[in-house]
C-alpha cells in the first residue's frame, strides 16, 4: 500500500483540491475497489508511524516483510560500471506539485524560465495541482485518462521502487508506477535525429567514470507533460539523467531538462534524489492505471464541489 501525498485526501468533500489528491491515488487498481467505495487513502501504516530512530518495516508486492534501508552511507565501495539492482527511494511518493527540485508552489526560486512559446503552452494546460490548478472535473491532464506519463514525468512523480538491469549493450529500468519499462542503449549509438515521437523517447547512455552513468533522451511526445503542475515541453526537449552510485548501497539520481523552444535555459528537475539498494528477493508490487477505476471515480466524485 502507498501513502497519500498528504492528509488532505482524507476529507474529499471539503474542497476540490482534496478530491484531486484522491484522484491521483484512486486511479491505480492495486489499491482495489475498497479504496473507491470508502473514498479514503490507505496509509503505509508502519512507515508512517515509525520514528527516524525505529526501523521502518515495509512489505513488497509478494507480501514479504522487509526493513527499509536507513539513510546514511552504505557499507562498502560502489562496484565499477554497475547500477543494477532494486532501488528504493529514501522519500516514498514524491510531491504531486510538480518537479521534485522545482515544485509549483509560487516561490520565486521555483519559477521556470519560460520562453514566450513555453508560457503560452503552459497556459493551455489545466493541471490538478500547482499554482494554476483547476477543479478535478476541469483538468485536462492526459494522465487522468490513463495516458502514459511519458518522460521526464515518469522520473518526477511517483518514482517509487525501481528495478535496474544491465548488460554490455543496455540498461533497462522497470518502474513501479504504471508498470512501465524503458531501455537506455549503451552500445555507442547516437540519439536519433528527427525521430518519430514516442511516450518515453529514445535513450542512450555512457559511463562518465567508474560510478556515474549518464543517459540522454530525445524524441519525446509533446502530448505528455513535464510534471503534475502542467509544465509543457516541446519536440526539442532533451532529458539528461545522471545515475551516480555513491557506495555499494546508495545511488543518486539527477534529472536535467533542456528545451530551447519552451525554456530559455536548462533546469534541474530532480537533484541527487537518493535511493537505497533493496535485497535481491524484493518483489515490486503492481501499480497500474485502470480505465474502469477512472470511470468509476468520475461517476462518484468527478464533478466540481461548490466552495
Amino acid at each position: 500500500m502507498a501513502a497519500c501525498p498528504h492528509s488532505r485526501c482524507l476529507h474529499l468533500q471539503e474542497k476540490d483540491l482534496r478530491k484531486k489528491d484522491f484522484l491521483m491515488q484512486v486511479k491505480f487498481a492495486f489499491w482495489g475497489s475498497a479504496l473507491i467505495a470508502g473514498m479514503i487513502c490507505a496509509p503505509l501504516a508502519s512507515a508512517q508511524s515509525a520514528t527516524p530512530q525505529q526501523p521502518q518495516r515495509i512489505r513488497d508486492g509478494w507480501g514479504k516483510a522487509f526493513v527499509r534501508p536507513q539513510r546514511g552511507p552504505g557499507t562498502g565501495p560502489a562496484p565499477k560500471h554497475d547500477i543494477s539492482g532494486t532501488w528504493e527511494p529514501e522519500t516514498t511518493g514524491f510531491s504531486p506539485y510538480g518537479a521534485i527540485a522545482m515544485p509549483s508552489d509560487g516561490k520565486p526560486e521555483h519559477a521556470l524560465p519560460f520562453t514566450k512559446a513555453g508560457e503560452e503552452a503552459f497556459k493551455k494546460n489545466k493541471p490538478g495541482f500547482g499554482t494554476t490548478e483547476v477543479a478535478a472535473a476541469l483538468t485536462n491532464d492526459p494522465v487522468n485518462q490513463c495516458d502514459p506519463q511519458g518522460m521526464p514525468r515518469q522520473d518526477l512523480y511517483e518514482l517509487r521502487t525501481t528495478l535496474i538491469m544491465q548488460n554490455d549493450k543496455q540498461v533497462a529500468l522497470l518502474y513501479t508506477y504504471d508498470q512501465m519499462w524503458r531501455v537506455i542503449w549503451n552500445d555507442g549509438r547516437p540519439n536519433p535525429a528527427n525521430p518519430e515521437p514516442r511516450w518515453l523517447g529514445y535513450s542512450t547512455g555512457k559511463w562518465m567514470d567508474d560510478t556515474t552513468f549518464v543517459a540522454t533522451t530525445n524524441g519525446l511526445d509533446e502530448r505528455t507533460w513535464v510534471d503534475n503542475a502542467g509544465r509543457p515541453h516541446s519536440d526539442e526537449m532533451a532529458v539528461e539523467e545522471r545515475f551516480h552510485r555513491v557506495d555499494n548501497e546508495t545511488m543518486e539520481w539527477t534529472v536535467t531538462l533542456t528545451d530551447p523552444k519552451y525554456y530559455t535555459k536548462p533546469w534541474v528537475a530532480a537533484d541527487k534524489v537518493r535511493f537505497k539498494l533493496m535485497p535481491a528477493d524484493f518483489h515490486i508490487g503492481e501499480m497500474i492505471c485502470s480505465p474502469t477505476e477512472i470511470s468509476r471515480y468520475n461517476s462518484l466524485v468527478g464533478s466540481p464541489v461548490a466552495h
Side-chain angles (χ1 to χ4, degrees), residues 24 94-104 110 112-114 118 121-122 125-127 129 140-143 148-159 177 199-200 217 220-240 255-263 265-270:
M24 299 308 296
F94 295 133
S95 168
Y97 295 98
I100 303 163
M102 295 287 278
S104 178
H110 294 154
L112 297 186
F114 284 117
F122 177 52
N125 294 338
K126 299 177 181 179
F129 299 91
N140 61 0
D141 188 339
V143 165
Q149 288 201 112
M151 279 288 289
R153 193 172 177 182
Q154 194 71 31
D155 284 355
L156 301 179
Y157 179 63
E158 296 285 4
L159 183 55
Y177 196 82
W199 298 110
L200 298 175
T217 302
L220 294 160
D221 195 313
E222 289 184 272
R223 289 176 293 176
T224 62
W225 292 359
V226 166
D227 59 16
N228 283 18
R231 276 77 169 262
H233 70 82
S234 77
D235 58 348
E236 296 183 10
M237 185 178 69
V239 179
E240 181 194 91
V255 180
T256 303
L257 310 183
T258 301
D259 186 346
K261 185 182 291 187
Y262 280 3
Y263 301 96
K265 61 182 180 180
W267 57 282
V268 176

Side-chain angles (χ1 to χ4, degrees), residues 165-231:
M165 301 184 294
Q166 66 181 77
N167 56 36
D168 60 347
K169 294 184 181 295
Q170 300 173 321
V171 174
L173 284 73
L174 288 74
Y175 298 91
T176 298
Y177 196 82
D178 272 352
Q179 302 297 108
M180 191 70 70
W181 63 274
R182 52 185 281 255
V183 168
I184 302 169
W185 286 98
N186 184 33
D187 59 358
R189 71 180 68 186
N191 286 78
N194 302 314
E196 180 181 355
R198 303 198 309 194
W199 298 110
L200 298 175
Y202 302 77
S203 299
T204 64
K206 61 182 178 180
W207 290 96
M208 304 302 293
D209 54 42
D210 287 343
T211 59
T212 306
F213 182 73
V214 176
T216 301
T217 302
N218 72 337
L220 294 160
D221 195 313
E222 289 184 272
R223 289 176 293 176
T224 62
W225 292 359
V226 166
D227 59 16
N228 283 18
R231 276 77 169 262

Side-chain angles (χ1 to χ4, degrees), residues 3-299:
C4 299
H6 42 68
S7 61
R8 289 184 297 177
C9 57
L10 297 174
H11 306 285
L12 301 176
Q13 292 81 11
E14 293 185 16
K15 291 181 68 177
D16 274 340
L17 185 54
R18 289 164 189 167
K19 290 176 62 178
K20 291 184 290 237
D21 287 327
F22 177 67
L23 173 60
M24 299 308 296
Q25 305 299 324
V26 79
K27 64 184 178 179
F28 294 97
F30 88 111
W31 275 305
S33 59
L35 174 64
I36 299 177
M39 293 185 187
I40 60 173
C41 289
L44 187 69
S46 58
Q48 295 296 312
S49 60
T51 66
Q53 291 74 32
Q54 299 173 330
Q56 295 184 358
R57 300 192 65 81
I58 58 176
R59 291 188 179 275
D60 71 358
W62 207 262
K64 186 176 181 180
F66 291 84
V67 174
R68 185 187 299 279
Q70 298 297 301
R71 293 173 179 266
T75 57
K80 294 182 179 180
H81 291 187
D82 186 1
I83 57 171
S84 62
T86 300
W87 296 95
E88 174 84 3
E90 288 189 347
T91 302
T92 302
F94 295 133
S95 168
Y97 295 98
I100 303 163
M102 295 287 278
S104 178
D105 54 12
K107 295 182 180 180
E109 62 268 30
H110 294 154
L112 297 186
F114 284 117
T115 64
K116 182 178 180 180
E119 186 76 35
E120 292 175 353
F122 177 52
K123 290 178 180 178
K124 294 178 182 178
N125 294 338
K126 299 177 181 179
F129 299 91
T131 56
T132 59
E133 65 185 33
V134 299
L138 302 179
T139 179
N140 61 0
D141 188 339
V143 165
N144 291 349
Q145 303 301 319
C146 283
D147 273 1
Q149 288 201 112
M151 279 288 289
R153 193 172 177 182
Q154 194 71 31
D155 284 355
L156 301 179
Y157 179 63
E158 296 285 4
L159 183 55
R160 295 174 180 268
T161 312
T162 303
L163 174 61
I164 300 179
M165 301 184 294
Q166 66 181 77
N167 56 36
D168 60 347
K169 294 184 181 295
Q170 300 173 321
V171 174
L173 284 73
L174 288 74
Y175 298 91
T176 298
Y177 196 82
D178 272 352
Q179 302 297 108
M180 191 70 70
W181 63 274
R182 52 185 281 255
V183 168
I184 302 169
W185 286 98
N186 184 33
D187 59 358
R189 71 180 68 186
N191 286 78
N194 302 314
E196 180 181 355
R198 303 198 309 194
W199 298 110
L200 298 175
Y202 302 77
S203 299
T204 64
K206 61 182 178 180
W207 290 96
M208 304 302 293
D209 54 42
D210 287 343
T211 59
T212 306
F213 182 73
V214 176
T216 301
T217 302
N218 72 337
L220 294 160
D221 195 313
E222 289 184 272
R223 289 176 293 176
T224 62
W225 292 359
V226 166
D227 59 16
N228 283 18
R231 276 77 169 262
H233 70 82
S234 77
D235 58 348
E236 296 183 10
M237 185 178 69
V239 179
E240 181 194 91
E241 296 167 284
R242 183 172 293 265
F243 305 86
H244 173 55
R245 193 157 182 175
V246 178
D247 53 45
N248 185 56
E249 300 171 14
T250 312
M251 182 174 67
E252 294 177 341
W253 196 334
T254 297
V255 180
T256 303
L257 310 183
T258 301
D259 186 346
K261 185 182 291 187
Y262 280 3
Y263 301 96
T264 60
K265 61 182 180 180
W267 57 282
V268 176
D271 189 14
K272 297 181 179 179
V273 178
R274 290 175 69 88
F275 287 74
K276 286 293 186 178
L277 186 65
M278 297 298 291
D281 59 342
F282 186 91
H283 179 85
I284 297 178
E286 192 173 87
M287 197 173 185
I288 299 173
C289 186
S290 165
T292 56
E293 297 283 347
I294 288 287
S295 178
R296 195 171 177 190
Y297 168 83
N298 288 335
S299 70

